[in-house]
Amino acid sequence: MSRFPRTRSTLQTVAAVTLASIVTGSLLAASTVSGSASSRKAEASPAKPTVVLVHGAFAEASSWSSVIQRLQHDGYPVVATANPLRGLHSDAAYLRSVLDTVQGPVVLVGHSYGGSVITEAAAGDPDVKALVYIAAFIPDAGESAGELAGKFPGSTLGETLSTSSYPLPDGGTGTELTIQQDRFHHQFAADVPATTAAIMAATQRPVSSLALEEKASQAAWKNIPSYALVAGQDYNIPAKAEQWMAERAGAHTVTVDSASHAVAVSEPKAVTDLIRRAAHDIR
C-alpha cells in the first residue's frame, strides 16, 4: 500500500495519461490497418501492364519460357495462353475470354499465326494498350494467314508439312497440319540447338488448315499502337512479308537479321526488349 494518499488531482493525472495512451494506441492501430489496406490495394492493382503471350502454329506456350523469365524478373504479370489453333474466329473468341479475366491494361503479344489471333481478338477491347507482333502475321480485314504467307517468295513451309484428319464437333472431319519432325529444325528453328529443336518438334501443336484459311474480320492495329519484330532468316513467313505488314500497320519495327521463325526461343532478349518498349510507351 502506498504511503502517500491519492489526491483528486493525482487521480485525474493518472486518468489523463491512461486515456492518452489508449487514444494513441488506437490511432496507431488504425494507421496500421489503413496501411495494410493500402498495401493490399497496391498489390491488387499492379503498376505494370499484364503481358499476354499468344503462341502460333507448330508451337506451344512453353516456347515463351525465356521471355517469361525476363518479364517476371522485371515485375510484369504474365499470362501465356494456350492457343487452340482450330480456326481464326474461334481462336480469337477464346483469347477474348482469357483477356476478360485480366484486370487493368494489357500488352498483347502474338507469334506467327498468333499475330492473326491478337489482331482479331483485340478489336474494340479498351484494355489492350499495345500489340506486339513477333515474326507474325498482321492481317487486315479480309486477309488470311495463308494468303499473306504467299505474298512474297521465300517460304518453304509447304514442302515440310504432313496432314492428318481430326473429328469436328458437328460430326464432320477437319484437316490439321504438322511439320515433319526430321525437317523441323531447319524449317522452324535453324538457330536453336538441335537438342532443343528436337523437343520443340515433338511437342509442336498441330494447326487446323481452317485457321490459316479463315479471313480476318477486324484489324485491331488500326486503333492500337503496334510493334513488330522481323526475323531475317524466317522460312515460315518470309522476312519481306513481315516487314511489309509491319510498315503497313505503322508498327515500331526492329529486325533480327540472323533469327529463325523461333526467335522467341533463340533471341529472347530481343523479343523481351521490344515488349518492354511497348509497355513503357503506354505508361
Side-chain angles (χ1 to χ4, degrees):
M1 185 175 251
S2 172
R3 346 177 1 193
F4 303 103
R6 292 192 178 184
T7 63
R8 176 176 295 180
S9 66
T10 301
L11 293 173
Q12 289 175 336
T13 300
V14 172
V17 170
T18 301
L19 180 60
S21 298
I22 291 172
V23 171
T24 301
S26 298
L27 291 173
L28 287 173
S31 175
T32 301
V33 171
S34 176
S36 298
S38 298
S39 176
R40 286 195 299 272
K41 183 176 181 180
E43 291 174 1
S45 303
K48 294 185 176 181
T50 298
V51 178
V52 177
L53 304 166
V54 183
H55 67 80
F58 319 115
E60 36 88 33
S62 70
S63 61
W64 297 108
S65 292
S66 294
V67 174
I68 293 169
Q69 288 175 349
R70 286 167 168 79
L71 290 171
Q72 289 181 335
H73 181 268
D74 290 347
Y76 287 97
V78 182
V79 176
T81 188
N83 189 354
L85 306 179
R86 297 293 86 177
L88 176 56
H89 299 150
S90 61
D91 293 344
Y94 175 76
L95 177 56
R96 281 192 289 269
S97 75
V98 174
L99 294 174
D100 286 344
T101 70
V102 179
Q103 294 185 349
V106 170
V107 174
L108 189 55
V109 185
H111 171 242
S112 187
Y113 163 72
S116 294
V117 178
I118 69 172
T119 298
E120 182 86 7
D125 189 333
D127 291 330
V128 177
K129 304 300 184 182
L131 299 169
V132 183
Y133 295 91
I134 306 299
F137 293 110
I138 313 176
D140 199 349
E143 295 177 340
S144 69
E147 174 187 345
L148 290 168
K151 191 172 185 65
F152 292 88
S155 176
T156 56
L157 177 63
E159 62 199 57
T160 70
L161 295 175
S162 294
T163 62
S164 58
S165 299
Y166 70 97
L168 296 172
D170 63 3
T173 301
T175 300
E176 64 182 14
L177 313 171
T178 56
I179 298 175
Q180 298 163 27
Q181 288 198 29
D182 61 347
R183 306 181 75 174
F184 188 95
H185 188 195
H186 175 74
Q187 176 61 40
F188 195 92
D191 57 346
V192 172
T195 52
T196 302
I199 294 171
M200 293 171 64
T203 60
Q204 67 176 296
R205 296 270 307 284
V207 61
S208 168
S209 60
L210 178 63
L212 304 180
E213 295 166 0
E214 278 191 341
K215 298 180 183 295
S217 62
Q218 303 180 82
W221 49 264
K222 292 184 177 180
N223 300 300
I224 301 173
S226 299
Y227 301 76
L229 184 148
V230 174
Q233 298 298 315
D234 193 331
Y235 300 144
N236 276 28
I237 308 173
K240 287 184 178 179
E242 293 174 12
Q243 185 69 42
W244 178 82
M245 290 184 284
E247 290 177 357
R248 180 179 64 171
H252 171 86
T253 305
V254 298
T255 301
V256 182
D257 292 329
S258 61
S260 71
H261 192 61
V263 61
V265 179
S266 63
E267 299 285 350
K269 182 180 183 301
V271 172
T272 307
D273 285 347
L274 185 60
I275 296 171
R276 288 185 185 120
R277 169 67 185 271
H280 179 269
D281 286 352
I282 68 173
R283 295 178 67 184

